[in-house]
Amino acid sequence: MVHGDITAMEVDAIVNAANSSLLGGGGVDGAIHRAGGPDILAECREIRAEHGRCRPGDAVVTGAGRLPARWVIHTVGPIWSAEQADEHDRTLASAYRRSLEEADRIGARTVAFPNVSTGVYGFPKRRAAGVAIAAVRGYTSGATGIETVVFVCFGRGNFDLYTEMGCAS
Ligand code: APR
């Protein structure tokens, strides 16, 4: 786990907390497109033209443009509402799992995640941390080529949470 900006991470793949349109936005999505440059959006448009919107819980892969990473895995987390808490847990877990499946498919060995859905999408941070850590631990306990998964916490709150939940920094 690190406390910082995912766009600076020197890993094979960074994960973007995108929206279903794949056409960019604010938060980490905006930061990745700003730092990575227009090539990322161009590839997102191609994916969108060919496969349509990215469903919540799914993930797609593009190059990383000017970023130090080699790929960007764009995943879409759930927009939080307390009425559908359990369903949102499952969708968030799926976003992490599908991102790791895509990482294995492209042969990425090191993967960095932001705290998906905990910003604009309003997912409670502690609940999201539990879902994220369980999903990653569950996936990486099975057959995978992934060697390292990094949780990149931009905000202090998430960093303290992941520390409290036993993630090594
Ligand atoms: N590096 C790492 N994490 C970041 C960065 C960054 N440069 N910038 C923001 N974050 C963190 C936020 O602090 C938050 O903890 O990413 C986490 C996810 O927040 P959002 O980026 O708001 O993503 P999310 O809550 O999943 O909402 C997605 O927001 O930006 C739009 O287009 C995006 O519509 C989509 C929605």
Side-chain angles (χ1 to χ4, degrees), residues 2 8 12 16 22-24 32 40 44 51 60 64 66 73 83 98 107 132-133 139 159:
V2 300
D12 291 339
N16 180 23
L22 293 174
L23 300 181
I32 288 172
I40 299 175
C44 284
H51 302 288
V60 296
R66 297 194 296 261
I73 298 170
E83 299 70 42
R98 283 287 302 118
I133 292 167
Y139 183 89
F159 181 77

Side-chain angles (χ1 to χ4, degrees), residues 4-7 17-19 24-31 77 114-122 125 152-155 158:
D5 179 345
I6 201 165
T7 62
N19 60 60
V28 67
D29 196 5
N115 308 124
V116 178
S117 279
T118 67
V120 167
Y121 280 2
K125 290 179 170 35
V152 181
C153 301
F154 193 65
N158 273 315

Side-chain angles (χ1 to χ4, degrees), residues 65-150:
R66 297 194 296 261
L67 295 174
R70 199 164 150 203
W71 294 284
V72 178
I73 298 170
H74 305 263
T75 195
V76 179
I79 300 174
W80 174 257
S81 69
E83 299 70 42
Q84 298 168 293
D86 292 344
E87 184 191 334
H88 291 335
D89 286 352
R90 288 191 294 276
T91 303
L92 185 62
S94 172
Y96 280 84
R97 195 171 47 249
R98 283 287 302 118
S99 296
L100 293 172
E101 286 171 352
E102 287 301 294
D104 263 329
R105 180 177 64 79
I106 59 181
R109 294 270 182 272
T110 53
V111 183
F113 281 95
N115 308 124
V116 178
S117 279
T118 67
V120 167
Y121 280 2
F123 208 109
K125 290 179 170 35
R126 180 178 296 276
R127 188 181 180 115
V131 169
I133 292 167
V136 170
R137 284 200 170 131
Y139 183 89
T140 53
S141 63
T144 175
I146 295 166
E147 292 157 2
T148 306
V149 175
V150 183

